[in-house]
Amino acid sequence: EAGVAQSPRYKIIEKRQSVAFWCNPISGHATLYWYQQILGQGPKLLIQFQNNGVVDDSQLPKDRFSAERLKGVDSTLKIQPAKLEDSAVYLCASSLRGADNEQFFGPGTRLTVL
Amino acid sequence: AQRVTQPEKLLSVFKGAPVELKCNYSYSGSPELFWYVQYSRQRLQLLLRHISRESIKGFTADLNKGETSFHLKKPFAQEEDSAMYYCAFSGSRLTFGEGTQLTVNP
């Protein structure tokens, strides 16, 4: 079974630039998550989708972050404009159903904002 | 507010010694609790969850609702157990602790 795919794996940008990350979940998984993991901390949920609807985006900084999951499969996370404090690993995960199910994680995208 | 506390950022033991990774949570409801693990150069993955009451790779974790704890234990640590361990619980969302880096020395 193919795992969760993410691209790019690494990205370096300057502050105020824009960046987008892509995620392809495990086939058949209804729920998709984006997490932000700052160095030395645990992953923090940014947004959770159930199919193509948003379930929880309470911790998403909506003035600069946006995410979509068209057709209930792939998802993109965008930051515009980026700030220095956005430097982190962005993890995508998926699960068959909700957050009390086992989540399968992608390899992450390491973002460095200079 | 949902919160998970892992008091030890680093834990070092010798091979064959017992190991316990501590986890405390604060939540008013009845959460589902997990331990996730990330081995070097690998993805974050589920190690075990309290509802299944399984022993995975020799690890067990018991939920103590009175102490709001879910400590991870293994009686005899192995070098391949060296990894970053995250305690997490699912209330309204999956909330992770800051993690404990376990090193098992030969």
Side-chain angles (χ1 to χ4, degrees):
Chain A
E1 172 182 278
V4 176
Q6 289 188 247
S7 67
R9 294 295 311 277
Y10 304 91
K11 190 73 177 179
I12 300 174
I13 61 172
E14 294 188 348
K15 61 183 179 184
R16 292 189 288 274
Q17 285 187 321
S18 302
V19 65
F21 312 127
W22 172 83
C23 173
N24 178 240
I26 292 173
S27 177
H29 280 195
T31 310
L32 185 147
Y33 315 80
W34 283 102
Y35 290 88
Q36 180 192 58
Q37 186 172 20
I38 293 171
L39 187 65
Q41 299 181 19
K44 183 182 89 170
L45 181 71
L46 292 176
I47 188 166
Q48 175 181 339
F49 293 94
Q50 181 82 13
N51 297 309
N52 61 350
V54 175
V55 172
D56 183 349
D57 63 357
S58 58
Q59 300 188 118
L60 186 74
K62 298 180 187 63
D63 57 333
R64 299 183 300 106
F65 286 66
S66 64
E68 60 182 8
R69 190 184 184 197
L70 300 176
K71 301 180 182 178
V73 182
D74 293 4
S75 177
T76 56
L77 175 70
K78 297 179 182 178
I79 308 175
Q80 180 180 12
K83 292 185 175 181
L84 297 177
E85 58 261 36
D86 298 332
S87 293
V89 175
Y90 291 84
L91 295 167
C92 180
S94 69
S95 64
L96 276 173
R97 295 183 300 277
D100 57 348
N101 279 208
E102 177 179 1
Q103 295 187 22
F104 295 84
F105 285 81
T109 297
R110 183 177 297 277
L111 174 67
T112 302
V113 182
L114 302 175
Chain B
Q2 303 180 174
R3 187 168 181 173
V4 180
T5 303
Q6 294 180 250
E8 303 136 330
K9 277 201 174 291
L10 301 171
L11 184 61
S12 182
V13 300
F14 285 103
K15 177 182 174 181
V19 63
E20 180 179 65
L21 290 84
K22 292 183 168 54
C23 172
N24 289 88
Y25 66 91
S26 60
Y27 183 66
S28 57
S30 297
E32 176 73 24
L33 284 143
F34 307 83
W35 277 97
Y36 278 80
V37 61
Q38 188 165 25
Y39 300 102
S40 180
R41 300 179 185 275
Q42 294 188 26
R43 302 178 183 204
L44 190 60
Q45 59 186 283
L46 179 67
L47 178 63
L48 57 78
R49 56 192 300 177
H50 95 269
I51 197 170
S52 64
R53 298 188 176 276
E54 291 177 311
S55 172
I56 306 294
K57 299 185 178 183
F59 284 97
T60 59
D62 292 318
L63 175 60
N64 186 321
K65 290 186 177 181
E67 296 182 358
T68 59
S69 68
F70 188 55
H71 303 327
L72 183 68
K73 301 177 184 180
K74 185 170 182 176
F76 308 103
Q78 302 300 313
E79 290 180 65
E80 55 265 31
D81 296 328
S82 296
M84 179 68 84
Y85 291 81
Y86 294 96
C87 181
F89 80 90
S90 175
S92 58
R93 68 180 71 90
L94 192 63
T95 299
F96 286 86
E98 295 198 341
T100 297
Q101 178 68 51
L102 173 65
T103 301
V104 181
N105 300 298

